[in-house]
Every structure is written in C-alpha cells, then in structure tokens.
Amino acid sequence: MFSDDMRLIAREMVAPGKGILAADESTGTMEKRLHAVGLDSTEETRRQYRELIVSTPGLGEAISGVILFDETVRQESSGGVPLRKVAEENGILPGIKVDKGAKPLAGSDGEKITEGLDGLRDRLTEYAGMGMKFTKWRAVLDIGNGHPSDYAIHVNAHALARYAALSQEAGLVPMVEPEVLMDGDHSLEDAETATTRTLREVFEQLAKQGVELESMVLKPNMVVAGKECPRQPETEQVAEATVRTLRRTVPSAVPGIAFLSGGQGDEEATVNLNAINQLGPLPWQVTFSFGRGLLAPTLQEWVGRAENVDSAQRVLAHRARLNGAARQGRYDAELEHV
Ligand code: 13P
C-alpha cells in the first residue's frame, strides 16, 4: 500500500463525529471480564460477544474502526461470515492488536516492556492479506516509586517505533499506544510530568526510525490523577493538563489522537473527552479509542443471554453516539437519558 492510502485510512479513523472501539482484549483479559459478569470464557462465548459488538446496527455512524484480537479475525458470525467482514459491512474499518503483551523488564525494579517484535513482519503480512487496515501496539508505564524510569520509557518508546515502522512497511496504519497508568495515588501534576516525558521520547524514537507521522494515530492516556489520589481534579483541570501535555509533545503532522479510557468510568471518560474538545480548536482530530469505556456497560447488559443481544447492542450504540458527540465538544449529560 502506498503512503497516500495509509494517510487516507488514518484520517478516516479519526473522522469528525467518529472514534475507535477497542475490542482487542487478549484471551486472559477477556477471561477476567467475562468472569466478572459470571460467565465462563470459552472460544464460543468470546465469539458470541464479538459478534454482538461488530454487528451492532448503526454502529458505523459513530465508530470508524474496531481493534480486534487475533482469535477474533479468524472467527465467523453465526451466519458464517468472517467477523472482520461483518465489521466492514457495518461501515467499520477492521484493525488488529499485534503486540504480545507487557512482560517484566529485565534489569528494572518491577517495570514492564511490551513484547512481540520477533516475527512481527510475517504476522503483519498475513494481516494485510486478510484485509486488515490498521494495527495497535500498547506500551505500559506506571507512576510511583521512581517510576517511570528513563530506562523503561526509552525501551518502550524504541519498541513502539520499531513496531510502527514495520506496520507502515506492511501498509497498515499504526496506532501507537504509550499508556501511563492511572493506578496509584499520584497527583495530576505527576501524571502530567510522566506523560510529557513519555510522549517526548516516543516522538523522538518515531522520528529516528523514519515513521511517517501523517500515517499514524496516537493513542495516549488522558492526563488524570491516580485512582487513589485523595485530591481528585475537576474536569476542567484534567482537560487543561491533557491539552497542555499534547500541545507540548505531539507534532501537528499527526492526523489524530484517540484516547484510551484506562479504567475511568464510562461517563467520566465521555465528560473528559468533551471538555478536552471544548478547549479547541486543536491541531489534530481528538477522539476516543475506548475499550472499557464503551464495552463495560454492553457486557453488563448482555451477560451471555441471547434474549439480551438487542438491548446490549442498543447500549453500545448509545455509548458510541455519546462519545461521537463528546469528540466534537457537543456532549450534554441530558443525552445520557435520550
Ligand atoms: P481501555 O479504554 O479499556 O483502556 O482500553 C483501550 C485499549 O485498547 C487498551 O489497550
């Protein structure tokens, strides 16, 4: 694929009014999510859940792309259509998580490095052949006890850039996801410092490794205080810290920024996204790439029952529309009940 095509896909992914749905939980994470609502995690329950998601009527109106997991792109709907095709027929670009998860970083004091570079070129070639349009790689950094260290930031940024360069070589738009976690009791200021250091290094490595900024999407965390921080900031403060951090670190050549929700409540993530967009105009499209922020209420509604599929799909479409409004700064709490 030529870079013109990738540029176009990157812009479609962050098109006005739309955002991305992250349904790429690994088998281990999916097991946790399904157990939490009292369900066994089998290949079949996971298939049913993912079919419910990608076949949601009207989802393409607010969702531009869906990030899938390797198992899902090999599964079919109950009607025998590959799930990645069901997404496309619903107006949604299919994407794929290509990292192999965060593992203990050797020589560090409890920090993580994301694995999955070995053999990645071959896996990307296969995914491109299946018609996937974009990819995702998530790096994880935590705050507290001297973390994140320069070492952990550097090696994770280096791996993100290696992944992004390989993805573009295969014609697949990379979603570069350096997640600074909201676990812990750190302040908003600590989150801003850690996120700024991380994004500076990520863009340094992307430049050094020849990644074309116009053909990628950044998937960062919002700048929020730690979940256990006793001084929780106002929405306005979160929005200002987030926008300040992004303006200082993300070149305007990047077409779009799509936030992860990272354990924020679903309404909280929507409200924050709205406040961030209300500080515009911004140099990039600023939207969502939520996993839990879109899917937690959907799974709660479904709980594995065939008779709940329609209502669970309505919950998902509704949450997607609300976030579609928030990514234009047009969300209102009243809309929650429409
Ligand atoms: P959350 O929105 O649940 O953080 O998930 C987004 C994601 O894709 C994490 O890799």
Side-chain angles (χ1 to χ4, degrees), residues 10-246:
R11 286 202 301 269
E12 271 183 50
M13 288 165 67
V14 295
K18 296 190 183 184
I20 294 159
L21 169 60
D24 60 330
E25 301 89 346
S26 61
T27 305
T29 304
M30 208 53 242
E31 188 169 283
K32 268 191 259 165
R33 304 266 192 271
L34 290 168
H35 282 177
V37 295
L39 285 173
D40 279 344
S41 180
T42 64
E43 198 177 329
E44 179 55 17
T45 39
R46 294 191 295 271
R47 192 200 64 73
Q48 288 174 3
Y49 177 55
R50 264 67 183 254
E51 176 171 356
L52 178 161
I53 293 169
V54 296
S55 65
T56 291
L59 195 63
E61 287 161 30
I63 298 294
S64 56
V66 61
I67 317 172
L68 301 169
F69 185 59
D70 183 78
E71 178 184 79
T72 314
V73 300
R74 302 175 195 285
Q75 287 177 324
E76 294 183 348
S77 68
S78 40
V81 181
L83 292 180
R84 58 181 196 276
K85 291 256 159 62
V86 175
E88 262 187 317
E89 285 163 8
N90 208 358
I92 301 169
L93 297 165
I96 175 91
K97 181 226 294 290
V98 301
D99 67 70
K100 297 266 185 185
K103 307 284 160 59
L105 172 62
S108 81
D109 121 45
E111 298 193 275
K112 300 242 168 93
I113 178 70
T114 300
E115 296 190 344
L117 289 169
D118 287 354
L120 180 57
R121 176 178 274 128
D122 293 341
R123 291 194 289 125
L124 290 167
T125 304
E126 187 194 5
Y127 292 139
M130 284 178 165
M132 309 309 288
K133 303 295 183 208
F134 67 96
T135 62
K136 186 195 92 172
W137 178 288
R138 171 174 178 254
V140 191
L141 296 149
D142 68 321
I143 300 181
N145 298 321
H147 298 181
S149 66
D150 287 344
Y151 167 44
I153 290 177
H154 173 74
V155 291
N156 275 290
H158 191 269
L160 271 168
R162 282 199 58 201
Y163 139 75
L166 280 162
S167 185
Q168 289 186 344
E169 181 191 273
L172 297 169
V173 172
M175 285 189 87
V176 172
E177 180 180 10
E179 175 171 5
V180 180
L181 295 173
M182 61 185 290
D183 298 339
D185 63 359
H186 55 269
S187 65
L188 182 71
E189 292 73 24
D190 291 340
E192 180 167 347
T193 305
T195 306
T196 302
R197 286 169 60 216
T198 301
L199 291 176
R200 285 217 168 107
E201 182 68 10
V202 166
F203 281 97
E204 170 95 21
Q205 289 299 326
L206 290 171
K208 280 188 171 150
Q209 299 189 43
V211 173
E212 188 179 82
L213 299 183
E214 291 81 355
S215 302
M216 64 164 274
V217 171
L218 178 71
K219 175 165 176 168
N221 51 284
M222 296 180 193
V223 176
V224 296
K227 259 187 268 185
E228 318 298 331
C229 176
R231 259 186 320 120
Q232 285 297 323
E234 301 293 329
T235 304
E236 268 310 294
Q237 293 173 295
V238 166
E240 280 166 14
T242 302
V243 168
R244 183 165 56 235
T245 302
L246 295 172

